[in-house]
Amino acid sequence: MTGQPAGTPCWERAELPPQPQLHGVVTADVVVVGAGLAGLSCAYHLAERAPGLDIAVVDAQHPAAGASGRGTGLLGPRAGPALDRAVRRFGAATAGRMHRASRQAVRDVLDLCSRLAVPCGLRPGEQLMATRSPAGLAALARQARACRELGLDVPVLTPAGIRERVGVSYRAALLHRPAATLDPAALTCALARACADKGVRFYGRSPLLALRPGDLVGPELVLPHGRLYAGQAVLAVNSAAQALELPVGTVLPLEVYAVATAPLSPAAYELLGGRAGPAVVDAVPLAPYFRLLPDGGLVAGGGTASVPAGLAAPRLQARRERAWARLEHWLRGLHPDLARTRVTHRWSGRIAMTGDDLPVVGPVPGYSDVWYIGGCGGHGLALSVAHGAYVAGALLGEPDPGEPLPWHRSRAPRLPLYGPVRPLLRAGVDAHGWAVRRVC
Ligand SMILES: Cc1cc2nc3c(=O)[nH]c(=O)nc-3n(C[C@H](O)[C@H](O)[C@H](O)COP(=O)(O)OP(=O)(O)OC[C@H]3O[C@@H](n4cnc5c(N)ncnc54)[C@H](O)[C@@H]3O)c2cc1C
């Protein structure tokens, strides 16, 4: 279908619970639409905290079909804009709370992985936000200052400190902990299996077409071959919010890219960090990043993004080819051995961005008992799991949900995206990618 993400990620296909198509009239206490990390985490935490609740999960395709199964698996603390910008926009107290919430989200995923005993190649470690460019150095300095002012423990690494971890000539880095790398598709599928074990019902190949407030109890969901009536609904559809015309502000689908290689030579693998090596992201937003795989290969992502809406399939494919070619060119510059390493996988996926870089987690305006989760951008692995658990608590009316999420809200800022504005927006995203390539 036009505009769908392309290529197969490098993750092995994991076992999934049975998911018949939804036919006829179905009821549930809670329906979760979207079987990515957010939706499945919500279903899992609901089932765990309220055994006996009748929960249905519906997906347009199958669990892990969206960004959750197509990510690159860097688990690290990050929420919303870079810390210095967060301080300027939201004030120091909120920015600090955001960062701490994202750190907690990472810890919770590590805990979930050990509770579920997920075979997902989990490697707890460090995440370096590093740079080789003057622009990145300036961005890093601003972030380091913000960390200091907020009292966050984010050490600055000199080139020597970086070389102890990765043999690439970066000029400076911030060391983020806790962090890890993992196979995001395996985690998503393991969550689906854990939900099924707790009695959650799955419906696959059942796209939500429309949502109505419902005349009886709760919302009515219209699907191609039936209807679903539920007391409460969670729309964990991430980048599909716009296609469904959900009134959650502007949540813009962006296509992003990744490649994976065959195993590197043992020398190159060790030099790039080895088994305990950190994931390395760039201080310049959207710049390429990499991590090593347990099997000896390397995954790289980033570098550019596209606004897929309104692009015909051939143009979209041409953009993908260019993005993958640039990523390959970039990774070959990391180490001479990589010049000869085969790229085995090239793929893309859809993330969901908001105008202020913050997610949307909250009740959908105009509908009672309907929540939306999405808009984490390219940093949603840990946050999506946290959001699912948070919404589960809210639906169950848990007496002490703790502090509300800093981005608990029903709408992102609205951006005028239609008519002549869309090409302008596309040009803006392209120009940003071009600028990134010049400095990185
Ligand atoms: C290439 C790539 C690399 C990434 N790398 C990282 C990374 O290293 N670290 C990180 O933190 N984050 C990363 N991300 C982002 C992260 O994967 C996402 O933020 C996160 O997985 C979002 O989870 P989700 O459950 O909200 O959405 P999704 O996983 O997108 O799930 C949404 C689900 O909704 C379903 N759906 C959509 N429309 C409908 C409908 N009408 N009816 C029914 N179901 C529907 C979809 O089929 C999908 O299964 C990456 C993303 C991509 C694409």
Side-chain angles (χ1 to χ4, degrees):
M1 208 163 85
T2 301
Q4 288 307 298
T8 307
C10 62
W11 317 119
E12 267 179 33
R13 211 182 159 88
E15 192 193 331
L16 285 172
Q19 337 140 40
Q21 216 170 20
L22 189 145
H23 282 267
V25 174
V26 172
T27 61
D29 293 328
V30 183
V31 58
V32 176
V33 182
L37 285 166
L40 292 170
S41 163
C42 184
Y44 175 81
H45 287 96
L46 281 170
E48 190 176 57
R49 293 176 200 172
L53 199 69
D54 181 21
I55 305 163
V57 173
V58 174
D59 197 279
Q61 298 179 56
H62 54 79
S68 302
R70 308 180 75 82
T72 41
L74 276 67
L75 184 70
R78 169 87 192 254
L83 263 173
D84 55 309
R85 278 195 290 137
V87 171
R88 278 203 308 279
R89 279 196 213 157
F90 310 111
T94 307
R97 222 153 55 76
M98 288 174 173
H99 192 77
R100 280 188 287 276
S102 75
R103 271 189 180 175
Q104 187 55 45
V106 171
R107 284 188 209 101
D108 289 346
V109 171
L110 295 174
D111 181 51
L112 184 69
C113 288
S114 71
R115 267 191 296 143
L116 295 180
V118 187
C120 63
L122 176 72
R123 297 208 293 183
E126 301 171 332
Q127 191 172 104
L128 298 193
M129 179 177 278
T131 189
R132 290 192 275 187
S133 68
L137 216 48
L140 213 57
R142 290 194 297 271
Q143 292 196 44
R145 201 173 312 124
C147 289
R148 260 196 320 277
E149 284 165 12
L150 294 174
L152 299 173
D153 175 26
V154 181
V156 176
L157 296 183
T158 60
I162 299 168
R163 266 197 308 278
E164 282 170 17
R165 294 167 167 85
V166 209
V168 180
S169 54
Y170 287 108
R171 296 164 81 167
L174 295 181
L175 177 62
H176 284 287
R177 291 176 295 215
T181 54
L182 53 77
D183 170 345
L187 173 60
T188 313
C189 295
L191 258 178
R193 293 194 300 275
C195 286
D197 288 348
K198 290 183 182 300
V200 172
R201 284 175 288 144
F202 280 84
Y203 298 97
R205 293 167 294 121
S206 303
L208 173 67
L209 300 177
L211 176 75
R212 299 193 183 127
D215 297 327
L216 296 169
V217 284
E220 176 189 353
L221 283 76
V222 181
L223 300 120
H225 304 291
R227 280 179 161 52
L228 205 154
Y229 296 91
Q232 295 170 309
V234 179
L235 308 181
V237 294
N238 202 29
S239 62
Q242 211 172 54
L244 283 167
E245 298 183 357
L246 300 180
V248 294
T250 302
V251 180
L252 179 72
L254 278 187
E255 188 159 292
V256 292
Y257 309 93
V259 297
T261 72
L264 316 182
S265 71
Y269 193 75
E270 275 316 305
L271 196 110
L272 293 175
R275 288 198 65 78
V280 184
V281 300
D282 202 291
V284 175
L286 211 68
Y289 60 87
F290 77 92
R291 57 161 290 201
L292 295 177
L293 291 167
D295 75 354
L298 177 149
V299 165
T304 189
S306 300
V307 179
L311 270 189
R315 283 190 67 197
L316 201 54
Q317 189 56 29
R319 278 168 178 258
R320 288 171 183 149
E321 299 293 343
R322 281 201 297 274
W324 289 324
R326 284 184 200 124
L327 262 181
E328 288 184 33
H329 176 76
W330 175 84
L331 77 84
R332 293 194 190 290
L334 282 175
H335 185 274
D337 267 26
L338 287 167
R340 293 183 298 278
T341 304
R342 200 162 49 90
V343 168
T344 52
H345 296 79
R346 310 181 331 153
W347 72 97
S348 67
R350 295 270 167 90
I351 57 170
M353 292 298 301
T354 63
D356 59 5
D357 287 338
L358 289 180
V360 179
V361 182
V364 176
Y367 296 85
S368 54
D369 297 313
V370 180
W371 285 60
Y372 169 76
I373 308 176
C376 291
H379 307 282
L381 208 174
L383 290 181
S384 301
V385 175
H387 295 161
Y390 178 81
V391 172
L395 293 185
L396 295 173
E398 285 186 347
D400 181 18
E403 245 184 336
L405 280 172
W407 42 86
H408 176 127
R409 57 184 182 165
S410 291
R411 280 194 177 95
R414 275 193 76 78
L415 305 174
L417 287 185
Y418 294 97
V421 179
R422 199 190 274 156
L424 285 179
L425 178 78
R426 181 168 298 124
V429 173
D430 289 349
H432 184 68
W434 182 79
V436 166
R437 287 193 293 283
R438 274 179 64 90
V439 299
C440 295

